[in-house]
Amino acid sequence: RKEVEQDPGPFNVPEGATVAFNCTYSNSASQSFFWYRQDCRKEPKLLMSVYSSGNEDGRFTAQLNRASQYISLLIRDSKLSDSATYLCGKVGSNYQLIWGAGTKLIIKP
Amino acid sequence: DTGVSQNPRHKITKRGQNVTFRCDPISEHNRLYWYRQTLGQGPEFLTYFQNEAQLEKSRLLSDRFSAERPKGSFSTLEIQRTEQGDSAMYLCASSLTPGQTAEAFFGQGTRLTVV
């Protein structure tokens, strides 16, 4: 089993809708989690860090559920420009950063 | 530009040739990571450095791969005797030592095509 797992999607969502997706992880000792956004053929860029129970930044909310070992990303009032792949990452047992395969999101007009 | 810089951006090479990529991290970052990414996959960890020390290498990193960070600043990743399966995007990222502010910043990557 991979240490970080994500539903690859794609999630096809109408503009203006709310969308949420999860990322499950193993190794409960992990303390630091991240959501990154990656546009096609570009490098990943930090969207949000998740250190405790959650974090909110405008239309984006990330939550951490340690009991069930997952983090979630909620996007409200989705925009066409939100179309991207969303990568979930965590700090591994040896302090290396480990990533899921990414969830592809397509916002349709 | 004070971000992570990688070069070359693109490399096409013939099978069996050696290639070397360079990464210049953000100057105050002591952690430097190398990842490989293929289409539809997330970045796969290859190796990382804390300053000049290489702390971990993935099992993905065969003997044909070597990475260095001689002065704790820039890093190089060399692939010897390239194979078609080595074709991928090679991403470098840097960060401060993981803690509450362990966000990694990625370079734009080097896209390798082995023909």
Side-chain angles (χ1 to χ4, degrees):
Chain A
R1 182 183 172 214
K2 290 187 176 180
E3 200 161 340
V4 178
E5 296 204 69
Q6 296 182 250
D7 181 343
F11 284 56
N12 290 285
V13 175
E15 189 177 10
T18 295
V19 60
F21 29 83
N22 290 343
C23 163
T24 58
Y25 65 91
S26 58
N27 188 348
S28 57
S30 301
Q31 297 293 319
S32 303
F33 302 87
F34 310 94
W35 281 106
Y36 277 67
R37 170 195 170 123
Q38 186 172 27
D39 293 294
C40 188
R41 302 180 80 84
K42 300 278 190 172
E43 76 275 20
K45 293 186 178 178
L46 178 68
L47 180 65
M48 301 183 75
S49 304
V50 189
Y51 296 116
S52 55
S53 60
N55 195 6
E56 184 172 332
D57 183 5
R59 299 183 293 110
F60 298 83
T61 301
Q63 292 196 312
L64 169 62
N65 185 316
R66 289 193 184 276
S68 300
Q69 295 189 204
Y70 72 87
I71 64 171
S72 63
L73 180 67
L74 179 80
I75 306 174
R76 290 178 294 276
D77 186 25
S78 53
K79 314 281 184 200
L80 295 176
S81 57
D82 294 335
S83 297
T85 296
Y86 291 83
L87 294 168
C88 167
K90 76 180 188 84
V91 178
S93 56
N94 292 326
Y95 299 105
Q96 76 277 40
L97 298 176
I98 301 171
W99 305 92
T103 296
K104 186 170 185 177
L105 175 65
I106 300 171
I107 306 298
K108 302 199 166 184
Chain B
D1 184 355
T2 57
V4 179
S5 174
Q6 290 187 249
N7 66 79
R9 294 286 307 279
H10 304 274
K11 178 71 177 179
I12 300 174
T13 191
K14 289 184 178 178
R15 189 174 50 192
Q17 297 294 304
N18 300 344
V19 294
T20 300
F21 311 141
R22 176 177 169 130
C23 172
D24 287 88
I26 293 172
S27 58
E28 63 268 26
H29 284 182
N30 44 28
R31 286 275 166 114
L32 186 149
Y33 304 85
W34 283 101
Y35 293 90
R36 179 173 65 190
Q37 188 175 30
T38 53
L39 196 63
Q41 298 296 316
E44 293 178 293
F45 170 76
L46 294 178
T47 188
Y48 83 100
F49 294 84
Q50 171 83 11
N51 299 314
E52 68 275 8
Q54 188 172 18
L55 296 188
E56 187 170 348
K57 290 172 63 172
S58 165
R59 285 188 294 271
L60 291 173
L61 215 64
S62 75
D63 291 344
R64 297 184 298 105
F65 288 71
S66 62
E68 294 183 340
R69 195 184 183 194
K71 298 181 181 178
S73 56
F74 74 91
S75 175
T76 57
L77 177 69
E78 181 183 16
I79 309 173
Q80 295 181 323
R81 304 181 304 281
T82 52
E83 302 172 356
Q84 286 189 317
D86 297 331
S87 296
M89 174 74 88
Y90 289 84
L91 291 165
C92 173
S94 71
S95 73
L96 296 169
T97 303
Q100 288 297 312
T101 55
E103 293 90 347
F105 295 83
F106 284 85
Q108 292 179 300
T110 294
R111 185 170 296 280
L112 174 66
T113 303
V114 182
V115 298

